[in-house]
Amino acid sequence: MTMAAASAALQASAAGSTALLGKSAAANLSSHSSFVPSNRSLVAATAHSTRSRTRSTSTVRSALAQEFSALDRVDILSEALPFIQRFQRKTVVVKYGGAAMKDPTLKEGVIKDLVLLSCVGLRPVLVHGGGPEINTWLTRIGIEPNFKNGLRVTDGPTMEVVEMVLVGKVNKSLVSLINRAGGTAVGMCGKDGRMITARQASEDLGFVGDIANVDTTVVKGLVRDGIIPVIATVAADSTGQAYNVNADTAAGEIAASLGAEKLILMTDVPGVMIDPKDVDSLVKEVDIKGIRKLISDGIVKGGMIPKVECCIRSLAQGVHSTAIIDGRKPHSLLLEVLTDEGAGTMITG
């Protein structure tokens, strides 16, 4: 069966095949209406609510269901099994941001994919930023966003807005979306349970923090209970002063502390490319030695360097694999976890 045919077959009756994944997964997948197979026939389940369907959509689904047999659909779904088994009861930390956080359609897809992974036995942890939302609210109250060398200059009033937006608005919105999609999420920030202790990174940047210590005891308890932690990267120092911490850095340190199987950084580029203008030059997989050479050769540069360095530090601290993936690509999270094609660049130790 071709990729197009396989995709159409699963679109026709995703719900009918969900019994293979157990009752919990079936409850979630009953609202999933499309699947995206990789070019090696491995499946990544997509998510689209079918609560309200037009008559024409129902007609198309009926025709597809007649054209493709139940066996076709089950065969494709079953090919995800090795990946599900590999990551069963393993922690996967996802740093969420960029276009996937701004575009409503992409956001819905990411949330439902995250819930799907939880339903089939993975233990996802979501770490998020929220830069564009912060800028919007700063502008609303008359504070001009200020950046220096790509980092937000965070004075006292700005820090108050950062904390209110990240912890009070963005975080709780994501929690609500996960819960509505059938998962169970708990929102928190670096202050909770002394998860992240920060220190000032630079006087010039104000309340921008480096990470001094990480304690994921509270997070581990949530993960063991099948709850998806949603973490905003606002932390505090030993005196209680709040700091804004880089979300990539926080995700990497949290992944290391949890002993995660995988760290995934969602970005707005395909991954690490030899030629930034040529998507075909994407580096699909590279080890630490190889990625360091790409940095020294000037191929990896600019904003990609801190992301790569974050992956290297995580690997050095025991995370098994890391990936920088294209969050603009629909269902990139599933493609990265449930197929051997991946959705970006995988960096290994």
Side-chain angles (χ1 to χ4, degrees):
M1 183 186 295
T2 65
M3 286 177 58
S7 179
L10 282 169
Q11 288 172 357
S13 62
S17 301
T18 57
L20 293 177
L21 300 179
K23 293 181 180 179
S24 177
N28 181 60
L29 287 179
S30 64
S31 64
H32 288 54
S33 63
S34 65
F35 285 71
V36 181
S38 74
N39 59 8
R40 298 190 186 182
S41 301
L42 296 171
V43 66
T46 68
H48 175 67
S49 174
T50 58
R51 186 170 294 175
S52 60
R53 296 172 176 168
T54 63
R55 182 174 298 176
S56 61
T57 301
S58 298
T59 302
V60 170
R61 293 187 187 285
S62 177
L64 288 171
Q66 293 174 11
E67 182 178 354
F68 300 106
S69 71
L71 182 58
D72 290 332
R73 299 190 296 272
V74 169
D75 280 345
I76 297 166
L77 184 60
S78 69
E79 287 173 353
L81 180 61
F83 297 91
I84 294 172
Q85 289 174 323
R86 174 187 169 189
F87 288 102
Q88 190 81 13
R89 294 184 294 279
K90 300 290 179 63
T91 300
V92 176
V93 175
V94 179
K95 184 270 176 172
Y96 176 50
M101 199 168 189
K102 293 179 284 187
D103 182 283
T105 301
L106 289 174
K107 178 185 285 190
E108 182 181 16
V110 170
I111 294 302
K112 289 187 175 179
D113 291 350
L114 197 76
V115 171
L116 172 60
L117 293 177
S118 177
C119 284
V120 297
L122 281 72
R123 295 174 170 177
V125 175
L126 190 67
V127 180
H128 69 86
E133 190 86 13
I134 293 170
N135 292 342
T136 297
W137 282 93
L138 286 172
T139 302
R140 283 188 183 184
I141 64 174
I143 299 176
E144 185 69 26
N146 184 16
F147 292 86
K148 186 174 183 179
N149 297 324
L151 297 174
R152 185 185 300 278
V153 177
T154 309
D155 58 14
T158 300
M159 187 63 232
E160 288 186 18
V161 175
V162 168
E163 185 164 9
M164 286 188 290
V165 172
L166 287 186
V167 181
K169 188 175 188 300
V170 176
N171 186 269
K172 301 315 173 192
S173 172
L174 292 172
V175 168
S176 295
L177 288 171
I178 291 171
N179 290 341
R180 192 173 68 186
T184 301
V186 168
M188 55 200 312
C189 73
K191 290 183 175 182
D192 296 310
R194 293 190 293 274
M195 186 195 325
I196 301 174
T197 302
R199 58 171 176 261
Q200 189 175 45
S202 165
E203 289 188 8
D204 292 341
L205 296 174
F207 298 111
V208 173
D210 285 336
I211 296 177
N213 187 59
V214 176
D215 182 350
T216 53
T217 302
V218 174
V219 179
K220 289 175 182 176
L222 294 172
V223 167
R224 279 196 302 268
D225 290 339
I227 296 169
I228 301 174
V230 181
I231 303 169
T233 56
V234 171
D237 64 14
S238 58
T239 70
Q241 171 61 53
Y243 284 91
N244 185 20
V245 176
N246 178 272
D248 290 330
T249 303
E253 295 300 319
I254 289 169
S257 178
L258 291 171
E261 180 72 18
K262 194 174 186 74
L263 166 68
I264 299 174
L265 305 181
M266 302 188 77
T267 68
D268 289 342
V269 294
V272 175
M273 294 184 290
I274 302 299
D275 179 357
K277 297 179 181 179
D278 182 10
V279 70
D280 290 333
S281 71
L282 175 69
V283 178
K284 298 287 289 183
E285 183 173 352
V286 62
D287 60 15
I288 291 177
K289 182 179 179 181
I291 200 69
R292 287 199 183 281
K293 187 174 190 307
L294 292 177
I295 294 174
S296 64
D297 290 345
I299 293 172
V300 174
K301 54 189 175 181
M304 184 59 72
I305 290 179
K307 295 183 185 298
V308 166
E309 292 290 355
C310 168
C311 292
I312 292 173
R313 286 195 302 273
S314 299
L315 291 166
Q317 295 179 81
V319 175
H320 290 188
S321 69
T322 65
I324 299 172
I325 70 171
D326 190 350
R328 303 167 302 174
K329 190 174 183 178
H331 310 294
S332 57
L333 188 56
L334 293 184
L335 285 169
E336 180 59 39
V337 176
L338 296 182
T339 77
D340 61 356
E341 178 186 358
T345 299
M346 183 167 72
I347 304 174
T348 59

